[in-house]
Amino acid sequence: MNHLIATLLKEIDASLDELCKVILGKEQQVQLALTCILSNGHLLIEDLPGMGKTTLAYTLSRTLGLDYKRVQFTSDLLPADLIGASVFDAQTSSFSFHRGPIFSSIFLADELNRATPKAQSALLEAMEEGQVSVDGETYVLPEPFFVIATQNPQTQSGTFPLPESQLDRFMFRISLGYPEPSIEREILKGNKGRAVLDQVKQVLSKDSLVKIQALVDQVKVSDVLLDYVQRLIAQTRQDDLCHFGLSPRGALALMKSAQCWALIHGREHVLPEDVQAVFVAVVGHRIIGKKETQGEQLARHVLDSVDVVGGVR
């Protein structure tokens, strides 16, 4: 391993340490969140209110040192509230475009599914193309550009389900869940959590972030590993429980995130364990079941159905 990779890995480890100072007892979810960003993907965090979704997004932005904007999504939100609008200037007798909060490196869409489908769809072009179109003009978003969205479970009142086309644009969907009793005790004592947010340091520079993203594509993938990945992909499309399987976009996300997971764990080649570590986060929101088995449960079923060495169980 050369000096550059070793240096970047130290920065990644330091970033994880900073994140874990705030998001306590959730090392797996923190690693997945950072993997998603380093893979140049968008992140969806789904959980009950008050679980630390917004805190995780904010801490990520502080650690990466990127420009950060947050918008609270509500039922009366309009696309122009996100993108911006052309405003008439009486002095020049012309329209000028006033940029909205989406023009930031990290855009937090808080409680995305509380907005109407019209407001939700305003993110589609930005997430896919890194640009927005207003009045026939195209405006390029900053680089890098990441959307971190939070959503409440659909069983809660006042939510609008995200369409499949939008879900597919999120590389990962993760949930934080309730803290362990020992961790919750620390939170209740007031010694951890949001109290240390102001002490979070920037670890990764934008230059380091770009270098890491370039290194991800160089992580080696063997033909045997690709066979395993293709068997997993095929299983999502032919399993009796699956109504819709993994799309090509989802398959690419699975491969790239597995490469990134291998990199942040100090390897220059992908192992089956790397694919398994990211599989549920990548696949759980993309496949639809025919029966009551859905989401993460369905993704775990697919993962358990395929042997690493070949064949279906």
Side-chain angles (χ1 to χ4, degrees):
M1 187 176 295
N2 63 41
H3 178 69
L4 172 61
I5 296 177
T7 301
L8 292 175
L9 285 176
K10 287 182 180 178
E11 292 183 7
I12 292 172
D13 288 341
S15 299
L16 290 170
D17 289 342
E18 289 296 307
L19 288 164
C20 288
K21 288 178 184 177
V22 179
I23 310 299
L24 304 177
K26 301 294 179 182
E27 289 81 5
Q28 175 83 358
Q29 291 90 332
V30 165
Q31 288 186 34
L32 285 170
L34 188 60
T35 298
C36 183
I37 298 299
L38 296 180
S39 302
N40 203 24
H42 304 295
L43 176 65
L44 179 62
I45 310 173
E46 181 181 84
D47 221 321
L48 295 167
M51 290 294 191
K53 304 185 297 292
T54 307
T55 302
L56 173 57
Y58 179 69
T59 309
L60 270 170
S61 68
R62 288 285 297 265
T63 304
L64 300 174
L66 297 175
D67 180 34
Y68 165 90
K69 296 280 176 58
R70 172 183 176 270
V71 171
Q72 179 67 49
F73 277 58
T74 56
S75 58
D76 60 349
L77 192 75
L78 297 175
D81 296 327
L82 310 176
I83 298 172
S86 296
V87 179
F88 183 73
D89 188 338
Q91 293 183 340
T92 61
S93 297
S94 62
F95 285 91
S96 60
F97 179 63
H98 288 221
R99 297 174 180 241
I102 203 169
F103 286 87
S104 56
S105 291
I106 291 185
F107 176 75
L108 172 59
D110 209 1
E111 295 186 309
L112 174 62
N113 60 338
R114 289 203 178 276
T116 61
K118 184 176 182 179
Q120 293 175 7
S121 64
L123 289 176
L124 285 174
E125 183 184 10
M127 294 173 68
E128 185 66 19
E129 306 293 340
Q131 64 184 32
V132 295
S133 300
V134 181
D135 297 332
E137 295 289 334
T138 299
Y139 301 90
V140 178
L141 296 170
E143 289 188 6
F145 172 72
F146 305 110
V147 172
I148 302 177
T150 70
Q151 72 168 357
N152 297 329
Q154 292 181 20
T155 53
Q156 294 204 328
S157 60
T159 60
F160 299 85
L162 299 181
E164 288 80 3
S165 59
Q166 186 146 21
L167 283 172
D168 198 41
R169 284 167 170 79
F170 286 100
M171 179 175 273
F172 280 15
R173 181 182 68 179
I174 64 172
S175 298
L176 294 175
Y178 291 112
E180 294 294 326
S182 59
I183 299 299
E184 191 165 35
R185 190 174 185 86
E186 289 297 317
I187 296 172
L188 292 172
K189 288 165 64 176
N191 297 331
K192 300 289 182 180
R194 297 187 73 93
V196 299
L197 267 178
D198 292 337
Q199 301 173 18
V200 174
K201 303 173 184 176
Q202 177 185 347
V203 178
L204 281 174
S205 65
K206 186 179 292 188
D207 182 58
S208 294
L209 182 60
V210 172
K211 289 178 180 177
I212 292 170
Q213 290 175 340
L215 284 174
V216 168
D217 292 329
Q218 298 177 27
V219 176
K220 297 175 183 177
V221 180
S222 68
D223 288 339
V224 174
L225 193 282
L226 274 177
D227 290 340
Y228 174 53
V229 171
Q230 286 198 288
R231 287 197 301 274
L232 285 169
I233 295 168
Q235 186 66 14
T236 68
R237 298 169 181 169
Q238 64 193 27
D239 192 285
D240 290 339
L241 293 178
C242 295
H243 188 62
F244 292 117
L246 195 62
S247 67
R249 182 194 285 126
L252 286 170
L254 176 62
M255 196 68 264
K256 188 165 187 177
S257 56
Q259 289 174 287
C260 187
W261 187 268
L263 179 65
I264 69 173
H265 287 85
R267 291 189 295 276
E268 297 180 58
H269 59 279
V270 180
L271 298 177
E273 290 85 345
D274 301 318
V275 178
Q276 294 161 0
V278 300
F279 186 82
V280 174
V282 174
V283 175
H285 60 293
R286 287 184 161 97
I287 57 177
I288 297 176
K290 295 178 182 177
K291 302 178 183 179
E292 65 277 1
T293 304
Q294 299 287 348
E296 292 186 4
Q297 186 182 1
L298 182 58
R300 293 187 191 281
H301 164 76
V302 170
L303 190 60
D304 294 339
S305 300
V306 178
D307 283 323
V308 173
V309 294
V312 177
R313 296 172 190 170

